[in-house]
DNA sequence: AAGTGGTCTAGACCACCCT
DNA sequence: GGGTGGTCTAGACCACTTT
């Protein structure tokens, strides 16, 4: 087990029993308590600060943040996201086909026009009810036989497991829209209901574009929580 | 000058002249070149990795990312935000009054029910056209004579300049909605047009709640861009 | 003056990738 | 086996806050 992650876990356990603005023991003391160097303690503290769970003030100390665990803008799959909300994720595959990339899609995926891509359409469910309609395009070359796999589970997990491709970061654009007949029916809401429209370009550790996804989230059941800094 | 920031600057200059997937010198070499320890080099590299400018692969090296500088989710004012889009920010003050905090607002602002708060309503403009309708509540105590100030400019700048209160981070919740008669008229769009609805709680460096803002952005003219990691 | 977090060092070993 | 990034150590000094 990596030490700073272990320290992080033990700090998390402490923080859970503390109240907002309570002060944590000082770093040198934590280092002694956990039997690690101060550097390692600081590495663990830093990750908690980045998530907004604690904050530090020079010359005063490190304190528990107000507010609760609001997950920062990290890259999570729909499945993880739903589980974090205590909802059971599901999926209904609507379309799965091989296509030739249109020029604009090719540019987005950084491949050549006409190169083969996989196009998926899925209805994402939470506790069995529609939450999100998503269309995903992926370059076909890195993912042989993708369409033969089980595409109703987590796509990210499939890419990581079978194709050793892990998404490292994503460019995301979030806007609002109202739903047309087809999308409203799929999501089980009235025509012209509001929805969050998210366009995402997923990038792997080497900087290759792995997916371009467009999702429509029911506005009455979903919102983005984020903590922004400085 | 803090060393790791200086190293960061010098690395940035190098990266600008490199192409995607070019490899950077190895960390031990950079340390020697810049006359600092490897730890300090790593601190500089880390900040560039977090911004997506470079990526590292264990056992291979550190490389320049594809894609350009995509600003992460940082805390910007409306004014900064508009200027980044080459739009001239403006403001029309609709309401500015002192109120007593309702219980729910008091809880959000972490003050006592009945404590005085300032309530502002502003129409935010971009190149003179409505972009966003915002309602802001602030605790009155830390901001004496706030209502006598010029409230049509940047609120963040006013808080920083006159009251020495700098927002350190904010909890934000983004959802979608459709506009009612009043809000549609204010924003100059048809009834029931889609809009982004943002609720934000701004926190200062000491963890005190400074503002609670609810904003409605025209969906046809505004979206959130963000880069998410890991 | 004492205590806190912020920065930095020099060196060590580990985990992983390549040839 | 040699080279890379990842983790960790023990110690030092600095900048800031509080007493």
């Amino acid at each position: 087990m990596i030490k700073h992650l272990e320290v992080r876990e033990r700090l998390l356990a402490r923080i859970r029993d503390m109240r907002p603005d309570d002060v944590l023991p000082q770093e040198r003391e934590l280092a002694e308590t956990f039997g690690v160097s101060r550097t390692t303690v600081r590495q663990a503290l830093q990750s908690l600060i980045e998530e907004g769970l604690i904050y530090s003030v020079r010359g005063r100390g490190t304190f528990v943040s107000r507010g609760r665990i609001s997950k920062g803008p990290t890259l999570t799959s729909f499945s993880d996201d739903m589980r974090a909300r205590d909802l059971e994720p599901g999926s209904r595959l609507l379309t799965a086909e091989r296509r030739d990339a249109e020029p604009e899609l090719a540019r987005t995926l950084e491949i050549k026009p006409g190169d083969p891509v996989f196009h998926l359409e899925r209805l994402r469910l939470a506790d069995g009810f529609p939450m999100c309609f998503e269309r995903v395009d992926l370059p076909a070359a890195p993912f042989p036989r993708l369409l033969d796999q089980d595409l109703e589970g987590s796509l990210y997990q499939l890419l990581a497991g079978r194709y050793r491709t892990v998404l490292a970061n994503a460019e995301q654009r979030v806007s609002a829209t109202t739903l047309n007949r087809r999308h409203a029916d799929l999501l089980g809401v009235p025509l012209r209901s509001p929805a969050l429209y998210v366009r995402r370009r997923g990038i792997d550790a080497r900087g290759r574009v792995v997916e371009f996804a467009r999702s429509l989230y029911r506005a009455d059941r979903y919102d983005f929580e984020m903590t922004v800094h400085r």
Side-chain angles (χ1 to χ4, degrees), chain A:
Chain A
M1 180 58 161
I2 292 166
K3 282 193 188 180
H4 77 259
L5 292 179
E6 195 177 320
V7 170
R8 192 197 129 98
E9 287 308 313
R10 296 176 66 177
L11 283 168
L12 261 178
R14 285 200 181 205
I15 290 167
R16 263 193 270 277
D17 296 333
M18 296 173 69
R19 303 172 52 102
D21 293 328
D22 280 356
V23 63
L24 284 161
Q26 65 135 307
E27 296 177 350
R28 290 158 182 86
E29 194 181 323
L30 288 172
E32 198 173 0
T33 304
F34 296 141
V36 298
S37 72
R38 192 177 151 217
T39 314
T40 303
V41 167
R42 279 182 60 76
Q43 202 174 350
L45 289 172
Q46 196 52 46
S47 79
L48 295 171
I49 287 171
E50 271 161 23
E51 286 171 39
L53 291 169
I54 59 177
Y55 64 96
S56 60
V57 182
R58 192 205 287 253
R60 295 215 307 142
T62 303
F63 306 85
V64 177
S65 296
R66 313 192 180 201
R68 90 214 81 277
I69 310 107
S70 78
K71 72 166 172 39
T74 48
L75 188 51
T76 55
S77 71
F78 179 85
S79 307
D80 295 339
D81 208 2
M82 289 305 110
R83 281 192 208 98
R85 292 161 200 248
D86 268 321
L87 298 169
E88 184 57 33
S91 218
R92 225 180 74 212
L93 186 63
L94 304 174
T95 305
E97 57 187 32
R98 196 166 171 285
R99 295 180 176 180
D100 299 328
E102 304 291 334
E104 189 181 336
L105 177 60
R107 199 147 27 88
T108 303
L109 292 180
E110 295 178 359
I111 57 178
K112 281 193 281 295
D115 280 359
V117 297
F118 294 127
H119 178 81
L120 311 177
E121 301 195 355
R122 306 193 295 175
L123 195 62
R124 312 303 307 262
L125 312 171
D127 282 349
F129 292 98
M131 173 69 94
C132 161
F133 169 66
E134 101 187 340
R135 288 162 292 177
V136 188
D137 293 287
L138 308 93
F143 309 115
R145 282 188 298 282
L146 180 72
L147 298 186
D148 300 336
Q149 314 302 317
D150 171 24
L151 295 171
E152 301 222 317
S154 166
L155 184 61
Y156 286 8
Q157 216 165 302
L158 178 61
L159 297 184
R162 184 176 171 88
Y163 301 102
R164 301 288 150 204
T165 298
V166 179
L167 260 70
N169 59 71
E171 300 159 10
Q172 212 163 243
R173 189 176 281 240
V174 179
S175 57
T177 189
T178 48
L179 296 170
N180 62 23
R181 181 82 271 158
R182 178 183 177 222
H183 296 150
D185 286 348
L186 281 168
L187 290 172
V189 295
L191 182 64
R192 279 191 279 282
S193 296
L196 277 170
Y197 179 44
V198 181
R199 277 159 293 182
R200 185 179 58 221
R201 210 161 74 128
I203 318 269
D204 75 2
R206 283 175 173 68
R208 292 178 302 205
V209 180
V210 171
E211 60 150 8
F212 176 60
R214 290 164 294 168
S215 311
L216 287 165
Y217 290 87
R218 283 178 62 157
D220 58 341
R221 301 174 123 222
Y222 191 83
D223 54 26
F224 275 91
E225 254 184 70
M226 57 180 104
T227 306
V228 292
H229 297 282
R230 186 142 344 196

